Amino acid sequence: MKLEPIHLGDELALALSNSAAAHLDAFVVIDREGHAKLDDDSVIADLRNAIEAALAASQFQPARSNGAPVPARVRVRLPILGPPLNIPRPERAAQPLALTIPSAAQPPAAGSAPPGAATPEQKPNPTQPAPDSGETPTFGARGRVERPASPTVQHLESQELRELPGAFGDPFRVLDTLPGVVPALSGLPYVYVRGAPPAGTVYYYDGIQVPQLFHLALGPAVVHPALISGVDFYPSVAPARYGRYTGGVLAGGARPSTPPAAIGGELELRLIDINGMLEAPVGGGSLRVAGRYGYPGPILGLLSPDVDLAYWDYQTQLSLPLTPHDRFEFTWFGSFDRVGSNNRRISINTITLEFHRAELRLIHETGRWEFGSALQLGWDRSAFEGGLNVSSARIGPRVFATWRGDRGLRLRVGGDVISSVGRIRAPENQDMTDVAITVPPYAADVAGRSVGGVYAELAWPIEEDLTLDLGLRSDLWLTGSRTQTAVDPRLSITWRSEPKLEWHAALGLGHQPSVFLIPLPGIADVGLDHGLQTAVQTEAGLKIDLPLDVQLETNLYFQYLTKNIFPDLVLDQMDSCDSLPPQIADLAARCQNRYPRASAVAYGLEVFLHRAMTERLSGWLSYTLGWANAHADEGYDFTPSFDVRHLANLVLQYRIGGGFDVGARLHFRTGKMANMTFLRGGPIRYEQRLPSFFRADVTASYSWQTSWAKLRLALEWWNLTLAREATNIQCTDGVDAGRNPLNVTPCKVTYAPAIFLPNLGLRADF
């Protein structure tokens, strides 16, 4: 593949040679036929004409996925070498400036492939001759091609996620816009995935499990968005390297380790915080550092003037080549949150959440094999004033190996151990109006907890259009002298009946300890009850490539969950038991079990219509038609809160031109099920469907290029409609003694306040 040289006019050449800019970034789209076009409104007109002329005269090999050509969007970095660019002054003829882009169809370089790694990245090797070498300068490009590693994954690029309306630039906030996902409360990152409770879904960044994704739920992400290459979401039947979960897997991939051409980065100033990222070539590799400091006081003061909130985070990534076949990688990130009250007359207990993760890796590549070893270190703390206080240190070695054969044949094996040592302090007479977490003695008295597992994955292309993916993992949990084991098989089959039509079916099993309702630092490692939670996951569906670069995915899913701890039952039991006098509550059998269990069935249809951001109008429509029913271990049937019949998200982004972009997100779901339990010798449960909920988020931005950076000014508004979400019901038990309290219907619906958040930010990419 060859790209014709770009011939710059004298005036433009002189302007570039006198510019203080170190480089210029632009995006190029290569379609299925191998034709390329510029896809960046920020490029100035004269340079745009030169690039477009060279692209029109060139031919590319298109990228391929499962043998079929697919469009690819390639990021091109044009360094501007200081005087000289080897460009003479106008009185002499201008020399041509050549630009080459590595073929999008060349095989991706082998990566370390840790759990949570994103799809493979191109790793070009651009050359830059010295300014006085007399050679024609040749500049490289960095590209990314979507190559789904599993038929059960939904992959989205970081660039389109950063501009997602209502996400405030955080790619992880895509989660509640995807099919099969029911938010526990609008805006919070705690979700039910195909019926699995919030603690059943696990989050990864760069292969490292993250105990929390966002600062105090509604805040920004704990990982800088510029360090995320894309997001993979597995609603069920994830590859075997992901384990210890009953719900979904959300994995953010790290940026590729390709050394940058020069020092660069970005800086963003917003109403709620300041954040930045800096990258530089180091020792033939790359170094990236990022961080965020929050000052949400002015905005928070408008909503709740008595609340005091502080947060910060940091990230470091280092990749160094040691030999032609070996490299060293280091990832280190952490987060801190504190919320309390600055008004002594208001009783708000202070909550502090903190975690730190560091991992060192050695990667060796030889022939078709790649071998890796890693050591993870960490420290977590969750402290609730007057309540639970957990702190723990962790250490976790792991090893992995990947073999790549012909025609897509691939074998991956690995294993890991994570040991935690710390302390758990939980008051015996904890006020249940605060954060209520009852820790059993067998967990609280044991300082050390460990878990280990091994896995194997095989991708087997039986025929050219038929692929079988097999996976198997085994895990062991050790708390003191108590052990729990699980074996989880995974199976999926993919058949491409037509070049643009793909069918798949998948089946898997997942196990997870009985942990707290939502993932929090340190607490997520503590088993709060005996017995593992189990999930049987199945799905079948198809993908169709439609005209206009639109892809349609549809799935039928069926989940069977057993021995799960659902927030519905826990919160209901807390409400009913805490309303009783202590002497009666102590005698009530159901009040002695703070974590009631239940089994549930969730099934439905999902539709995902996605148009890539290579088009001027891009976005997606997700729709879920779902049903769910459950049976409590206490012996009664109930309708869980995640039984939401219709759930839809419409996400649209439109590039107007001239640097102007607008976007909108519309979220709609029918009502959840709320309940209230009356005690009449035994629990009598009353259920009532809540009203539907609709919310709209919008964003508008303007981008322009300066001599030193590309700037983007963005105005975002989360919940423009000021929608209030129905959260529960209040029932008055005013019937005569002996009558069934179910006659007290309907009950009053309670609503959460209209939470909204405007934000204005200025970002500079330099």
Side-chain angles (χ1 to χ4, degrees), residues 3 8 14 52 67 88 99 102 129 180 272 279 289 293 326 356 436 442 488 510 587 604-605 611 644 658 675 713:
L3 181 64
L8 300 178
L14 179 59
E52 289 180 341
L99 166 68
I272 58 175
E279 62 177 349
V289 294
Y293 177 75
D326 301 274
H356 305 270
Y442 68 78
D488 297 338
L587 297 175
L605 168 70
R611 193 182 198 204
V644 175
N675 73 86
L713 180 66

Side-chain angles (χ1 to χ4, degrees), residues 81-307:
L81 304 179
L85 265 176
N86 270 343
I87 299 178
R89 295 305 185 216
E91 61 270 13
R92 295 168 50 189
Q95 300 295 323
L97 171 65
L99 166 68
T100 60
I101 299 178
S103 171
Q106 70 185 74
S112 60
T119 52
E121 292 283 351
Q122 310 273 349
K123 293 190 177 180
N125 184 25
T127 60
Q128 293 186 23
D132 58 353
S133 66
E135 302 176 22
T136 301
T138 302
F139 302 109
R142 292 181 295 181
R144 178 182 178 85
V145 180
E146 183 176 341
R147 297 174 183 273
S150 166
T152 61
V153 69
Q154 290 168 345
H155 175 79
L156 293 168
E157 293 290 338
S158 177
Q159 187 68 21
E160 60 185 327
L161 298 181
R162 293 201 67 176
E163 299 172 6
L164 177 69
F168 299 109
D170 293 324
F172 284 129
R173 286 204 179 273
V174 70
L175 178 60
D176 63 357
T177 72
L178 300 176
V181 177
V182 178
L185 187 66
S186 178
L188 295 182
Y190 307 123
V191 298
Y192 294 90
V193 178
R194 293 182 177 176
T201 294
V202 295
Y203 312 108
Y204 287 91
Y205 170 67
D206 195 19
I208 304 171
Q209 190 170 345
V210 184
Q212 68 178 55
L213 280 184
F214 301 97
H215 290 287
L216 291 171
L218 280 173
V222 299
V223 177
H224 195 281
L227 298 181
I228 300 175
S229 62
V231 171
D232 290 331
F233 176 58
Y234 301 87
S236 66
V237 198
R241 61 186 179 275
Y242 302 102
R244 306 158 193 158
Y245 73 98
T246 57
V249 174
L250 185 71
R255 284 268 302 274
S257 57
T258 307
I263 296 177
E266 69 174 58
L267 180 66
E268 185 173 20
L269 179 65
R270 309 194 300 180
L271 293 180
I272 58 175
D273 60 32
I274 182 172
N275 63 84
M277 186 275 294
L278 182 69
E279 62 177 349
V282 175
S286 62
L287 172 65
R288 297 184 178 96
V289 294
R292 182 193 309 270
Y293 177 75
Y295 44 84
I299 295 297
L300 188 64
L302 298 176
L303 304 176
S304 182
D306 297 316
V307 176

Side-chain angles (χ1 to χ4, degrees), residues 545-754:
D545 290 331
L546 301 175
L548 303 177
D549 283 334
V550 175
Q551 186 177 73
L552 171 66
E553 301 180 35
T554 180
N555 288 296
L556 293 171
Y557 69 90
F558 180 89
Q559 306 265 101
Y560 179 54
L561 307 165
T562 57
K563 292 293 181 181
N564 273 238
I565 299 178
F566 292 107
D568 307 48
L569 296 186
V570 176
L571 298 176
D572 177 51
Q573 180 176 286
M574 288 169 51
D575 289 340
S576 59
C577 291
D578 291 342
S579 63
L580 296 175
Q583 61 272 21
I584 298 179
D586 291 342
L587 297 175
R590 76 186 307 261
C591 295
Q592 304 305 308
N593 178 19
R594 283 295 181 183
Y595 298 100
R597 304 292 191 98
S599 300
V601 172
Y603 54 97
L605 168 70
E606 299 171 350
V607 177
F608 189 60
L609 193 66
H610 181 212
R611 193 182 198 204
M613 65 172 298
T614 54
E615 302 300 320
R616 184 175 293 271
L617 177 64
S618 62
W620 59 87
L621 169 66
S622 67
Y623 169 74
T624 304
L625 174 65
W627 291 267
N629 53 74
H631 180 79
D633 287 0
E634 292 181 327
Y636 60 90
D637 295 329
F638 68 97
T639 305
S641 61
F642 53 84
D643 177 63
V644 175
R645 195 70 64 242
H646 304 280
L647 190 150
N649 286 279
L650 177 62
V651 177
L652 294 176
Q653 300 175 72
Y654 182 70
R655 295 199 301 275
I656 300 174
F660 289 95
D661 299 321
V662 294
R665 174 196 171 186
L666 306 180
H667 170 85
F668 171 80
R669 66 171 180 267
T670 52
K672 301 178 182 178
M673 187 65 73
N675 73 86
M676 187 169 183
T677 300
F678 299 88
L679 296 180
R680 291 291 186 272
I684 301 177
R685 184 182 178 92
Y686 167 71
E687 296 179 347
Q688 181 175 317
R689 183 76 64 176
L690 296 174
S692 300
F693 177 74
F694 171 79
R695 191 189 85 228
D697 310 325
V698 296
T699 182
S701 66
Y702 172 64
S703 302
W704 71 100
Q705 186 76 43
T706 70
S707 61
W708 62 278
K710 179 179 179 180
L711 301 179
R712 181 177 185 267
L713 180 66
L715 173 63
E716 302 172 89
W717 193 297
W718 185 81
N719 193 12
L720 180 69
T721 48
L722 304 183
R724 299 175 62 208
E725 182 176 4
T727 56
N728 212 336
I729 55 176
Q730 288 183 344
C731 304
T732 302
D733 186 8
V735 298
D736 297 333
R739 292 185 59 190
N740 190 330
L742 294 182
N743 291 334
V744 189
T745 58
C747 299
K748 179 182 178 182
V749 176
T750 60
Y751 290 83

